[in-house]
Structures are given as structure tokens and as C-alpha cells.
Amino acid sequence: LPRALRIVEEVGRRVYAVKVHDLADQEGVSRLVRLLKKAGTSRVWVDYKLHDIPTAVGERVGSLVSSGADIISVHASGSVEMMRAAKKEAGEAEIFAVTVLTSLSDAGVERIYSTDSRPLVFRLARFACEAEVSGIVCSPLEAAVLHAKTKSKVVAVGVRGCGQAEHDQARTDTPHAAIRSGADHVVIGRMVTAAPDPLSAFSKLEEEIALALGV
């Protein structure tokens, strides 16, 4: 928590949102959201990737919103009905629908779903559009097509700088490539949070994004 708060104090006003998951379990959502917003962020994304029957997901979303969450993630594979239940209980909060986890390679997707990753991502994205969620989460490799075919925000995860380790990610690309492909947001984790100097790492990331945007 102290390290997270220090990072948010340095860059919180320069990002769209701060994404949390296990830290919310450790500290409690309400307390953590309050501390992070005090440290400098305007939005907190509770990345629980909910996947359950519609009623259960709706109730969980309502609870998280009451605790201060501004963005909540769900799995698009949970069905259109489930995503609609989440959206109904979200109020002013945003629902981001995760298509296919970026830790899954094409072979991993084939083994689980008996199809390639790209058509599966596009199918799940169509479900998310039907449910009218705020954002669709995908790898940078699918961002271009989703940007062209959806009115929802395209949120690219699995983003890595050139030469950086992919860790447990399989379908990745650079922040520059993700932005150039049409991603509205890029999710940055270990590139900044695990850097010896998070502020310096973040500043370099901003330069890369500015270059991609041509500003």
C-alpha cells in the first residue's frame, strides 16, 4: 500500500484511472478507493473480472459501486445478460468487458475454446457491444479492428515496452503500437510499478504515447 500510494501521488493526476485487484482484497475496497483518490487519482478501476450468473454479478457490481469503484471489469464470456445486469447496477460507473486474457497464446485459446483467439475476441466484443458496456478489453493485436467496429472504448492490455520481458503475457505489443492501432486506453502495470524509478518510467511512457499520437 505505501508503494502504491507513492506511485499514485507521482502520476495519479496524469492517468485516466488507477487499476487495483489484490490490494483491494488486502485493504478493503472502500478504504483503498478513499486513499487512492486522496493520493491523486480521479478514478479507481476495481479489476475483479466478474463472471457469474447475472443476478450475482449485478449484486457484486452494486456493492463495489457503493464502495466507491468507478470502473469494474467483467468477463464478456459471461453472456450479454450478465453484462447488462452489471451495467444496470453500475449507475455512473463504467463497465469494462474482458474478451480473451492476454496470458493465453493462440494455442492456449485453441485448447480451451476450440477456435483461434482473434475470431473469439471479435465474437465476445460483439456481445459486449450488444450489452452497451463502456469499454472492451483486448490485446493490442486486436485493437485496430475493434476500434473500427465498435463505439465502445478500446482498452489494450498486455502492453510492453520494446525489449521488456513479457512475463505471463502471450499476446502483446508496445504502447506506441497499441495507440497507433486505435486503443483509447492502454493498461500499464509492471512497466511502471516494478520500475526502480516509477516516475521516470512513466515519463518515458508518456513520451512514447505522445509520439504515437503525433503531439
Side-chain angles (χ1 to χ4, degrees):
L1 178 61
R3 179 173 173 81
L5 293 176
R6 285 196 301 271
I7 292 174
V8 174
E9 286 171 357
E10 293 178 331
V11 305
R13 291 176 176 81
R14 294 153 67 180
V15 300
Y16 183 77
V18 170
K19 184 165 76 72
V20 297
H21 31 83
D22 59 301
L23 196 60
D25 297 329
Q26 297 170 28
E27 304 296 333
V29 176
S30 295
R31 177 172 182 265
L32 181 60
V33 168
R34 184 173 66 254
L35 291 173
L36 290 172
K37 289 186 176 180
K38 184 178 179 181
T41 188
S42 59
R43 300 178 188 85
V44 177
W45 172 357
V46 180
D47 188 29
Y48 277 170
K49 298 182 178 70
L50 303 179
H51 189 291
D52 207 326
I53 62 174
T55 300
V57 167
E59 290 174 348
R60 190 82 186 280
V61 167
S63 176
L64 291 171
V65 170
S66 296
S67 296
D70 302 285
I71 303 171
I72 300 161
S73 56
V74 303
H75 273 289
S77 57
S79 78
V80 173
E81 291 75 19
M82 187 205 78
M83 287 185 280
R84 283 176 173 164
K87 188 173 184 293
K88 180 180 178 181
E89 298 300 325
E92 296 298 315
E94 295 181 273
I95 298 296
F96 285 180
V98 177
T99 52
V100 177
L101 296 174
T102 50
S103 59
L104 289 173
S105 64
D106 287 336
V109 172
E110 173 68 30
R111 183 178 183 185
I112 298 171
Y113 298 103
S114 299
T115 185
D116 294 333
S117 59
R118 183 158 292 193
L120 178 60
V121 167
F122 298 158
R123 187 184 316 144
L124 293 173
R126 287 197 296 272
F127 295 161
C129 289
E130 189 175 341
E132 299 182 326
V133 299
S134 301
I136 300 174
V137 181
C138 64
S139 88
L141 306 180
E142 297 104 24
V145 174
L146 294 193
H147 173 75
K149 292 188 175 183
T150 177
K151 294 181 180 179
S152 300
K153 296 176 183 175
V154 176
V155 184
V157 295
V159 174
R160 291 290 184 271
C162 290
Q164 291 191 321
E166 294 185 350
H167 298 291
D168 53 355
Q169 305 290 342
R171 300 183 347 271
T172 68
D173 212 329
T174 65
H176 184 279
I179 294 293
R180 294 290 290 176
S181 295
D184 297 289
H185 299 301
V186 291
V187 176
I188 304 298
R190 283 167 284 198
M191 284 177 62
V192 170
T193 60
D197 184 346
L199 182 57
S200 175
F202 187 85
S203 296
K204 291 179 181 177
L205 171 67
E206 282 187 322
E207 291 174 2
E208 183 174 346
I209 290 175
L211 181 63
L213 293 172
V215 298

